[in-house]
Amino acid sequence: MENLIIQLITGAVGGNLGGFLLKNLSLGTIGNTIAGLLGGGIGGNILAPLIGGAAQGGGMVGNVAGAGVGSIVLMAVVGLVKNMMAKK
């Protein structure tokens, strides 16, 4: 349970950091936070074992890194889709 909480918090921060760094893909504070939460939960569960080592169950570093990467990737993908739909 604590791993999920870490992933969600890191994801929310990562989504907003991604929105700050990629201003043209930003979804606004609430959108970045929601995309970050989802991306953090998904990315943390998929990438944590790969980054932190499968034998360790991912570990703290794997959870934080996986959630951070997942949140920024999901925020960027949603931002790209939003921008493409706005051009039509």
Side-chain angles (χ1 to χ4, degrees):
M1 185 66 173
E2 73 181 33
N3 287 340
L4 180 61
I5 293 170
I6 291 168
Q7 291 167 357
L8 293 176
I9 292 171
T10 304
V13 171
N16 283 293
L17 177 64
F20 176 75
L21 295 174
L22 305 169
K23 292 188 187 313
N24 60 328
L25 301 177
S26 179
L27 304 169
T29 304
I30 301 214
N32 291 339
T33 302
I34 292 170
L37 286 169
L38 293 173
I42 295 167
N45 285 316
I46 293 172
L47 297 175
L50 299 174
I51 295 170
Q56 299 172 353
M60 180 71 73
V61 173
N63 282 324
V64 171
V69 170
S71 64
I72 292 173
V73 167
L74 185 62
M75 188 278 312
V77 168
V78 172
L80 279 170
V81 171
K82 176 186 156 206
N83 288 347
M84 290 174 69
M85 291 180 72
K87 289 181 181 179
K88 289 186 175 186

